[in-house]
Amino acid sequence: MAISNALLLLAQAAVYFIVMMSLLRARQVIGIGVFMCALGVMHFLETYLASVFYIELPFGIVSPGSTVLFSGKLLMILLLYIREDALIVRQPIYGLLIGNFLIVALVMILRNHDTISVTDGRNPDFAFIDEMGLLMVWGTILLFVDAIAIIVLYERIGNWVGRHLGLRFLICGAAVLTFDQAGFFLALHYVSGAPWHVFVGGWAAKMVATLVYTALFILYLKYFDNESSWLTNRSFKDVFQVLTYRERYHKLLEASIRDHLTGTLHRSQYDQNAPKILAKNLQENRPLSLLVIDIDHFKQVNDRHGHQAGDEILKMVARLLADNLRSDDHLYRVDGEEFVLLCEKLSVEGATSMAERLRKAIERFSKIYLPEKVTVSIGLASAPQDGETMEALFRQADLRLYEAKKQGRNRVFSPVTVD
């Protein structure tokens, strides 16, 4: 009996692998959604079999739901990632998480119905439903953790295992399925009182399943695909960021602090951070310079060429300013056509030289690429000479900007100029 059960499990694993790999291979023709639906539709069956359906093998008692279906699903998620990328694979990971929680939530509502018997002896078993619900919640959480862990581990060991794709697949599957077996058995033991030898048998079966799926994968690569096309070289840190949607969080955070048109920091960031930057430099006895940069005759440019042309000029000026920044510089758009550049560790002489370089770069670029010449006027102040608060520095730089415009525009006015 044990031998026949083992052969049947091998047949199940082979059928599962062949069908799922066929769908993965044909994804460009039939769409990736077919593969994802097939991947997710069996989760209830996996949980049901793992809770009540057990068979005897030569090395112990196991459940086909846990051994064949769950192990296969997790390894298929890894293969989907290898063949596509983290952006694609996170869709079924989160879809399974949300979908299974939705099932549990709906069942919790359904169990409150007053039911009637239509067929004699056929009544809903709410005790079993409750038991299944708990196992599905725990199994879903484990699957979510497993799916992210197996992908990150796959990339992490890439530097050690190198081009041995089958070995990477085997190590990742064995490690994560060991963790999963321990986690799921604890819940199963709590819910149904499963004995500890079930854990040992289940773990052994999952290790064998990993070997079988790895062997099938290697055979697939040998006869149906090119192994080199499956090799990846992605940063495991970047992969983790994508899988956990942290890259979306960082993008949203970045968008919230930057001007949507020019990409420079918002005025709110200037108000919030500039005083802290100044205080830090004063405390460390380091110079700090502030440049107020204003586009000359910007309203006339808008009137002659339209606001779209004006927007292009703003973006061009912002890009040229940003391209010439040091690591200790902070660029803000504080008004329509006015920018503030805060330069840490830069003396008034160095800041004046930088301002002249920026002014000339903008003028030179506009002559070549814009319908008419665009120039900027720049007022400069430096701490601690011109003040030890942002209000004092900005006021002094703004006065010098006014002086630069008064003297004909397209010029820098700074303490060095005054002297």
Side-chain angles (χ1 to χ4, degrees), residues 80-375:
L80 175 62
Y81 163 73
I82 299 172
R83 211 67 186 109
E84 292 288 340
D85 55 32
L87 285 171
I88 296 296
V89 79
R90 74 182 178 187
Q91 296 176 35
I93 292 175
Y94 283 86
L96 287 166
L97 180 71
I98 296 169
N100 286 309
F101 277 124
L102 176 60
I103 289 175
V104 173
L106 292 174
V107 168
M108 290 177 66
I109 298 173
L110 286 171
R111 70 187 311 280
N112 292 293
H113 280 295
D114 294 322
T115 60
I116 60 174
S117 178
V118 176
T119 305
D120 290 340
R122 304 286 291 182
N123 291 309
D125 187 349
F126 287 115
F128 176 70
I129 290 175
D130 290 341
E131 179 181 309
M132 282 288 295
L134 179 59
L135 287 175
M136 283 194 70
V137 168
W138 183 240
T140 297
I141 294 171
L142 274 178
L143 176 62
F144 178 77
V145 174
D146 291 344
I148 293 177
I150 198 170
I151 292 169
V152 173
L153 180 60
Y154 175 84
E155 291 298 352
R156 186 68 182 89
I157 67 174
N159 294 332
W160 305 331
V161 182
R163 299 178 61 85
H164 301 287
L165 190 58
L167 183 58
R168 288 173 73 179
F169 187 77
L170 178 64
I171 292 172
C172 293
V176 176
L177 284 170
T178 297
F179 165 79
D180 177 82
Q181 178 64 13
F184 190 77
F185 175 78
L186 289 176
L188 191 62
H189 180 71
Y190 173 78
V191 170
S192 61
W196 284 96
H197 63 82
V198 172
F199 166 75
V200 177
W203 175 81
K206 283 185 176 178
M207 296 305 99
V208 173
T210 305
L211 284 169
V212 170
Y213 281 123
T214 301
L216 291 171
F217 180 47
I218 291 173
L219 288 173
Y220 170 81
L221 292 177
K222 182 177 181 179
Y223 293 106
F224 299 101
D225 213 329
N226 180 10
E227 181 175 354
S228 61
S229 67
W230 284 72
L231 293 171
T232 63
N233 184 28
R234 303 162 182 153
S235 166
F236 76 96
K237 291 183 180 178
D238 292 341
V239 167
F240 180 78
Q241 295 275 57
V242 174
L243 289 175
T244 55
Y245 281 87
R246 286 187 61 81
E247 101 288 1
R248 291 288 182 91
Y249 165 75
H250 288 305
K251 287 179 180 178
L252 287 172
L253 183 63
E254 185 75 6
S256 70
I257 66 175
R258 292 193 175 273
D259 175 61
H260 74 280
L261 179 64
T262 63
T264 60
L265 293 168
H266 276 309
R267 172 64 186 262
S268 62
Q269 293 301 299
Y270 170 79
D271 294 335
Q272 179 179 335
N273 295 324
K276 300 175 186 176
I277 296 171
L278 173 60
K280 182 186 72 171
N281 281 266
L282 289 175
Q283 185 178 5
E284 297 173 358
N285 293 317
R286 296 188 306 203
L288 178 139
S289 294
L290 181 143
L291 286 66
V292 179
I293 305 164
D294 189 85
I295 301 175
D296 295 326
H297 301 300
F298 185 72
K299 185 178 183 304
Q300 296 178 22
V301 172
N302 271 336
D303 291 342
R304 284 196 299 270
H305 301 286
H307 287 282
Q308 185 173 354
D311 289 346
E312 290 303 316
I313 289 172
L314 282 169
K315 289 191 285 187
M316 179 274 291
V317 170
R319 185 172 66 251
L320 287 174
L321 293 174
D323 288 346
N324 286 276
L325 297 188
R326 307 168 307 138
S327 59
D328 294 315
D329 297 337
H330 313 270
L331 180 63
Y332 308 89
R333 184 185 178 192
V334 296
D335 203 354
E337 69 271 19
E338 190 170 273
F339 299 87
V340 165
L341 180 57
L342 200 59
C343 306
E344 298 186 66
K345 308 175 191 175
L346 194 61
S347 66
V348 63
E349 293 81 9
T352 302
S353 177
M354 170 188 260
E356 282 290 353
R357 186 171 69 252
L358 294 173
R359 181 189 66 80
K360 291 175 182 177
I362 292 168
E363 181 181 17
R364 185 167 54 248
F365 185 92
S366 69
K367 285 180 179 178
I368 301 173
Y369 296 104
L370 295 179
E372 64 178 73
K373 184 174 75 171
V374 173
T375 62

Side-chain angles (χ1 to χ4, degrees), residues 43-61:
H43 188 74
F44 181 84
L45 179 62
E46 294 164 15
T47 307
Y48 172 75
L49 293 177
S51 62
V52 300
F53 192 98
Y54 290 90
I55 60 175
E56 185 178 351
L57 293 180
F59 47 77
I61 297 174

